[in-house]
Amino acid sequence: MTAALAAIRPAERAQTGGEGAPSAAPSVAEGQPVCRSLLTNTLVMYGRTLLTMSVSLYSSRIILAELGAVDYGIYVAVAGVTFVIAFLNSALAASTQRHLSVELAFHNAERLGAVFSASLQIHAAIALFVLCVCETLGLWFLHTHMVIPPARMQAATWAFHCAAFTVALTVLQVPYNALLAATERFSAYAAFDIAHSLLRVLVALALVPAVGDRLELFSSLMMCLVVVNFLAKVGYCRWVIEASRYRPCTDFDLLRRLAGFAGWSLIEVLSVVLNIHGFALLLNLHFGPVVNASQGIAVQLANATSTLASNLQITASPGIVKSYFQQNSSQLHDLIARNSKTAFFLMLILVVPVSLEAHVVLGIWLGNTPEHSVGMVRLLLVTGLVNSLSYPLVSVIQATGNIRRYQIVVGGLMLTALPLGALLLSVEAGPLSLFWLLLLLSSLALAVRTRFVVQLTGLAPGYFARAVLRPAVVVTLLSFAASALLGAAMSHLPLPDISRFMAACMVTAGAIYGLGFSDEERRWLSGMLRDRLLRSRKVSP
């Protein structure tokens, strides 16, 4: 790890006082305090995700029913034109959180505020650029190329204006999200997301008694929802975090480094965006819009489930970055393994029952299940499982700052999905072949990321396979097999669908606890849960 730290850019070494981590930097507390904090943050974000996922799926059904298929399709199509640009959020948020975590690790309050202000300036410029592009090129594309019924063009134009402003405001709030995550204020982070989801339900319910143009009303209310959430988040951050008070940043070297880091990060994020929209285009050209509907439904359900793993990454990233910069190799490697495994298992508890009962879940959610949607859901869920193992690895690679070669290799690998998918469909492979291809490429990307972490941090080559991959594979195979057999035996019970779903959850949880964790990890988990229960009893009257 010392060799990797020596590769930190000079500007960052100047902050640390030498070629490695600073001798004066405080070490991350080891043992129970760190584990307790991680468990608490994980439980908070897990609860938040389950609630927001349920509310989101419920509100989507109401919105679809009240707007109707045509208006809902118009809104999705119009918003999609602008949301393609929103992939900038992910890259810039990762860049901002990484640099904020570094300054927090060294307790450098002045530099923390400077990084936040610089990031806010960059995001403000991007937000303005996004708004200008949407209101010129985007508006031209809407009126000249998109297929919109003439009678609905006025409402579609208003929806486009609202969506463009929403995207710009979403870009502007990224530094505040990164600051909440870097300072580990996950209760507040979860509260804002829960409030957003609950307000979205109110927006959906407001459509029921509404008169007039419901598409225009829905677009306006969604824009107002984002404005309220943004103002509340800014007010909270300014109230509790001194660093969130903006001060003009004239440190052009800092601005250049933040923009450069984000620029390289865009490669991998761009590959994800191109795969999603590129696959939609390929499916449309070869199979028509019905299969596009199946893909949209599958992506929405898979994204709702994979949010569990991505939210755990939000809680784990600050600790990983701090451990790296403080040269705590043993803790860093333990965090990599523990977080990779935990993210995988948290997602597996939902993936197993949803995969086995996909037709039931889609039937309850939508009423009618489009063709191919069940297969797409299952493949995307398994792909999400594979990707969940990569999240801590990506955090470590970003912490090193040496991301150019990584982005070229991994981003280039994932960009091959589109031409290879076109080749598969040209030889009359079915629509599911695209998702098998995505699963294969995601598995290869996991292997490449592991190799980069071995090179950059000194992680033992076989450690990740022994500590993470082996228990993950064993638990997954056992959970699917046992849940399928148990489900077949429960078909005669009352409410068989719910019984099978709950049984699969319990079987998976049992397999995870018994085979997924080592004895030491089970003792740690039991102790942490017992500690949390005791604390809850003391707080309750």
Side-chain angles (χ1 to χ4, degrees):
M1 183 185 293
T2 302
L5 281 168
I8 300 172
R9 287 185 287 270
E12 290 180 335
R13 291 202 303 269
Q15 299 170 33
T16 63
E19 289 295 315
S23 58
S27 61
V28 177
E30 298 185 27
Q32 295 298 324
V34 172
C35 295
R36 186 178 296 113
S37 175
L38 178 60
L39 178 64
T40 301
N41 293 337
T42 300
L43 291 175
V44 168
M45 296 301 282
Y46 193 80
R48 165 259 192 191
T49 301
L50 290 176
L51 180 58
T52 56
M53 180 176 65
S54 302
V55 170
S56 176
L57 294 177
Y58 173 70
S59 61
S60 295
R61 178 165 182 163
I62 298 176
I63 293 167
L64 176 60
E66 295 304 321
L67 288 182
V70 175
D71 275 3
Y72 186 76
I74 291 173
Y75 181 80
V76 172
V78 167
V81 174
T82 57
F83 286 136
V84 171
I85 306 173
F87 76 90
L88 288 167
N89 278 355
S90 300
L92 290 174
S95 171
T96 303
Q97 185 176 336
R98 183 258 183 187
H99 287 83
L100 291 173
S101 296
V102 170
E103 304 307 335
L104 284 168
F106 302 139
H107 298 292
N108 194 332
E110 183 179 354
R111 291 291 299 180
L112 180 66
V115 169
F116 175 82
S117 296
S119 176
L120 193 58
Q121 289 177 200
I122 293 172
H123 281 79
I126 293 174
L128 183 60
F129 175 76
V130 167
L131 193 59
C132 290
V133 170
C134 289
E135 294 295 341
T136 53
L137 295 178
L139 202 58
W140 166 80
F141 185 83
L142 170 66
H143 286 285
T144 59
H145 289 76
M146 295 192 69
V147 180
I148 305 291
R152 304 303 296 147
M153 182 55 75
Q154 181 179 348
T157 302
W158 175 252
F160 182 87
H161 290 313
C162 293
F165 183 78
T166 298
V167 171
L169 201 59
T170 302
V171 171
L172 191 59
Q173 74 177 346
V174 166
Y176 294 97
N177 291 335
L179 187 61
L180 288 174
T183 55
E184 302 188 43
R185 286 177 167 82
F186 296 109
S187 296
Y189 195 106
F192 283 115
D193 282 350
I194 291 172
H196 184 276
S197 298
L198 294 177
L199 288 174
R200 192 169 187 268
V201 173
L202 294 180
V203 168
L205 294 175
L207 297 176
V208 177
V211 294
D213 197 308
R214 291 184 175 181
L215 177 57
E216 292 185 1
L217 174 63
F218 176 68
S219 303
S220 302
L221 291 176
M222 288 300 294
M223 180 181 66
C224 292
L225 189 159
V226 173
V227 171
V228 170
N229 189 267
F230 173 77
L231 294 176
K233 190 172 296 182
V234 171
Y236 173 82
C237 289
R238 288 178 60 84
W239 180 40
V240 301
I241 307 175
E242 178 66 26
S244 67
R245 298 180 182 275
Y246 171 72
R247 298 172 183 84
C249 179
T250 57
D251 186 343
F252 294 104
D253 182 63
L254 176 61
L255 291 167
R256 178 187 58 80
R257 286 192 292 109
L258 281 172
F261 192 92
W264 283 111
S265 299
L266 291 180
I267 298 177
E268 188 175 3
V269 180
L270 179 60
S271 69
V272 175
V273 174
L274 289 179
N275 286 342
I276 293 173
H277 294 278
F279 278 10
L281 178 60
L282 291 176
L283 291 173
N284 184 267
L285 291 174
H286 287 81
F287 303 104
V290 174
V291 177
N292 280 129
S294 300
Q295 183 205 15
I297 291 166
V299 168
Q300 186 172 353
L301 185 57
N303 285 347
T305 307
S306 62
T307 304
L308 295 170
S310 60
N311 281 335
L312 175 62
Q313 176 57 22
I314 295 174
T315 68
S317 182
I320 289 175
V321 173
K322 293 174 186 177
S323 295
Y324 173 81
F325 273 90
Q326 291 159 352
Q327 293 185 284
N328 195 332
S329 299
S330 60
Q331 182 170 282
L332 176 64
H333 296 163
D334 180 66
L335 284 173
I336 292 172
R338 187 165 291 179
N339 283 295
S340 293
K341 196 157 54 173
T342 303
F344 183 90
F345 288 148
L346 285 176
M347 190 173 171
L348 186 67
I349 292 175
L350 283 181
V351 167
V352 171
V354 172
S355 297
L356 294 176
E357 304 296 328
H359 59 290
V360 175
V361 173
L362 291 174
I364 294 174
W365 179 29
L366 301 172
N368 296 320
T369 303
E371 187 181 6
H372 302 299
S373 59
V374 171
M376 291 180 184
V377 164
R378 288 170 174 165
L379 286 172
L380 285 175
L381 287 175
V382 176
T383 302
L385 278 176
V386 173
N387 290 334
S388 70
L389 295 171
S390 292
Y391 292 140
L393 302 178
V394 174
S395 287
V396 176
I397 295 169
Q398 289 177 337
T400 68
N402 301 319
I403 64 170
R404 180 172 58 182
R405 189 163 65 94
Y406 161 76
Q407 289 291 341
I408 292 173
V409 174
V410 175
L413 174 65
M414 298 307 297
L415 284 171
T416 62
L418 199 55
L420 291 177
L423 180 62
L424 284 173
L425 295 184
S426 68
V427 296
E428 299 184 357
L432 294 183
S433 63
L434 297 181
F435 301 93
W436 282 108
L437 173 64
L438 191 60
L439 175 58
L440 173 62
L441 292 177
S442 296
S443 301
L444 293 176
L446 173 62
V448 173
R449 292 184 183 107
T450 305
R451 182 61 181 169
F452 269 97
V453 171
V454 168
Q455 294 175 346
L456 293 172
T457 70
L459 181 73
Y463 176 75
F464 192 79
R466 293 192 306 271
V468 180
L469 296 182
R470 183 166 59 191
V473 171
V474 170
V475 170
T476 300
L477 294 177
L478 179 62
S479 297
F480 271 105
S483 297
L485 292 174
L486 186 61
M490 298 176 67
S491 57
H492 64 284
L493 295 178
L495 300 175
D497 297 336
I498 297 177
S499 300
R500 289 197 301 268
F501 192 95
M502 297 304 298
C505 289
M506 290 186 288
V507 167
T508 305
I512 289 170
Y513 186 80
L515 299 174
F517 294 112
S518 64
D519 292 338
E520 179 184 353
E521 289 169 336
R522 279 193 294 270
R523 286 193 295 269
W524 163 77
L525 183 61
S526 299
M528 294 301 101
L529 290 174
R530 185 166 53 250
D531 180 69
R532 293 301 303 172
L533 289 175
L534 290 175
R535 285 187 175 191
S536 300
R537 290 175 182 175
K538 289 180 181 179
V539 172
S540 60

